[in-house]
Amino acid sequence: MLAPETGLDGITVSVGLALCLFGIYVYRRFDSPGVGSFAAFAVFLGFAGISSGLLSSAVPGELWPEVGTLFWGVATVPWLLFALQYTGRSTRVRPRSVVLLLAPCAGILAGIVMLRTGFSEVATALVGGVSTLYCLALVLTGAALLIRTGYRYSHVGTRQGVSLALAPTATFVSLNLVSLLVSEQPDPELIATINTAGFVVAAAALATAVGYYRVFEVTPPAVGTLGEREIVRESDDLVFVVSDEDSVVQVNETALSALGLSRDDARQTGLSALLGHTTDTLRGRETVTLETPDGTRRYDPQVSTLTGGDGQELGALVSLRDVTARQLREQRLSVLNRVLRHNLRNRAQVIRSHSTEKTRAPANTPLR
């Protein structure tokens, strides 16, 4: 009969495999900022589960939790990159940046080697501990970015960020608890239970974020962040940042004042409902007319596409410049121009008539 911990290890391996497949599914299914980094995070987290489940009975002592921690440490790098890309803090990932972020994680591998080669416990704990704390800092930074962004954008919500942050946090807690308990030779079933629980919570949290909170289906916060960089806050133009589905993500104070709306009302209303036009129709218009608290105003629309670092189209920046006064001046100039041409034409006609009459009259006939 199999020991209880053997069955739990099998569950851990299965959950790890499910995380790997889940990462591949997300990468192939969605096309949103950070999806590649998210997939890499899920896959490496899955490797951590598979390795810890397989090695717990095959490798005695303190080594097998460290192998799981190594894969977890590597997973924290794509985790941070996902948080940066998804929130729009950094949309372009350079290979050199990835290498630099991964370099401190080598301390976990060094700790494993030192553990196997008989280095002192103090030196091993110091090297591995510093690297683990670095990886934990990456986790906390990414979690803070996601939760803060969720709080800022009501259509995202803080629960989405909390659900995502549970995955690296739960596995960190479980792997480190296991490392502490293994050194004290406690009940193997307890160790297996803690290890399995961490990965089950992580898998459930990621599935909830993607399936229930639709992390890759709602308008990504990156659109709002990128748009804010391009908005001139003191501009007299009406400026809107919209997603690729024309939902309003950001709007400047000038637009809110001109349309008599609150920021929340503007975000809950689509661009078409606000302006009577979509981004596609605005691109082909010279002017648009809007009803404002100050009366009917005419605006010159300009639409710029917002793209991520990889050229992916995320949304658009819509700018409306008030040309009411300019068009009024142009109309007045047009009227004045017609009046002047009419008067000049009449005077020219009089002169032409007098010239014709003088030509036809006898030389001694006075011209009236």
Side-chain angles (χ1 to χ4, degrees):
M1 181 176 179
L2 293 176
E5 60 268 22
T6 303
L8 291 170
D9 290 338
I11 294 175
T12 305
V13 172
S14 300
V15 172
L17 181 60
L19 281 169
C20 293
L21 295 176
F22 181 70
I24 296 172
Y25 162 77
V26 169
Y27 181 75
R28 299 183 64 177
R29 170 68 174 79
F30 300 104
D31 184 21
S32 296
V35 69
S37 298
F38 179 89
F41 163 68
V43 169
F44 279 110
L45 200 63
F47 286 162
I50 293 172
S51 62
S52 62
L54 290 176
L55 298 178
S56 62
S57 56
V59 180
E62 303 175 14
L63 180 61
W64 69 265
E66 298 299 329
V67 176
T69 303
L70 173 62
F71 281 112
W72 172 86
V74 174
T76 61
V77 173
W79 159 259
L80 178 64
L81 294 176
F82 159 69
L84 292 172
Q85 292 172 312
Y86 186 71
T87 59
R89 302 294 176 180
S90 177
T91 57
R92 182 173 299 175
V93 178
R94 294 180 174 85
R96 187 175 69 174
S97 301
V98 176
V99 173
L100 291 175
L101 286 170
L102 280 172
C105 300
I108 300 177
L109 178 60
I112 295 175
V113 174
M114 293 169 69
L115 187 65
R116 292 288 291 176
T117 53
F119 271 78
S120 68
E121 293 184 2
V122 175
T124 302
L126 180 62
V127 172
V130 170
S131 295
T132 302
L133 288 176
Y134 165 78
C135 295
L136 179 60
L138 298 185
V139 169
L140 296 178
T141 301
L145 284 174
L146 291 168
I147 294 173
R148 179 178 178 273
T149 302
Y151 177 78
R152 186 176 185 184
Y153 296 101
S154 57
H155 72 283
V156 177
T158 55
R159 293 181 180 179
Q160 183 191 92
V162 171
S163 179
L164 288 167
L166 271 177
T169 306
T171 46
F172 167 79
V173 172
S174 65
L175 286 170
N176 280 272
L177 276 177
V178 166
S179 296
L180 292 173
L181 293 175
V182 164
S183 62
E184 299 177 2
Q185 300 295 329
D187 183 3
E189 184 178 352
L190 175 61
I191 293 176
T193 301
I194 294 173
N195 189 46
T196 301
F199 286 97
V200 169
V201 170
L206 293 183
T208 300
V210 174
Y212 182 75
Y213 292 117
R214 301 184 303 127
V215 63
F216 293 117
E217 296 179 66
V218 298
T219 302
V223 179
T225 306
L226 291 172
E228 284 183 351
R229 294 175 186 171
E230 299 197 27
I231 283 183
V232 181
R233 296 184 182 274
E234 302 301 326
S235 173
D236 292 331
D237 296 349
L238 280 60
V239 183
F240 304 85
V241 180
V242 298
S243 69
D244 55 355
E245 297 178 351
D246 277 358
S247 59
V248 177
V249 180
Q250 278 292 347
V251 57
N252 68 347
E253 292 294 336
T254 305
L256 295 176
S257 176
L259 298 177
L261 295 172
S262 67
R263 192 173 299 276
D264 288 338
D265 290 339
R267 287 176 177 172
Q268 293 171 5
T269 307
L271 186 70
S272 178
L274 282 177
L275 306 182
H277 297 277
T278 64
T279 51
D280 290 334
T281 58
L282 286 174
R283 294 179 196 273
R285 301 274 302 190
E286 292 186 0
T287 59
V288 294
T289 302
L290 298 179
E291 294 295 331
T292 72
D294 297 328
T296 303
R297 312 291 294 181
R298 298 184 70 83
Y299 295 89
D300 175 21
Q302 299 292 328
V303 181
S304 303
T305 302
L306 294 176
T307 58
D310 56 357
Q312 177 188 1
E313 184 173 338
L314 302 178
L317 182 72
V318 178
S319 175
L320 302 179
R321 175 159 296 178
D322 192 339
V323 294
T324 307
R326 187 186 74 186
Q327 288 202 335
L328 182 59
R329 289 195 299 270
E330 290 176 351
Q331 290 174 356
R332 289 174 177 173
L333 287 173
S334 178
V335 171
L336 180 60
N337 184 43
R338 288 198 300 270
V339 171
L340 288 174
R341 283 191 298 173
H342 177 74
N343 291 341
L344 288 173
R345 190 181 299 111
N346 288 343
R347 290 181 179 276
Q349 186 64 35
V350 171
I351 294 172
R352 188 180 299 110
S353 298
H354 287 176
S355 299
T356 302
E357 185 176 349
K358 182 174 177 61
T359 301
R360 293 176 178 177
N364 58 354
T365 302
L367 184 64
R368 292 179 296 175

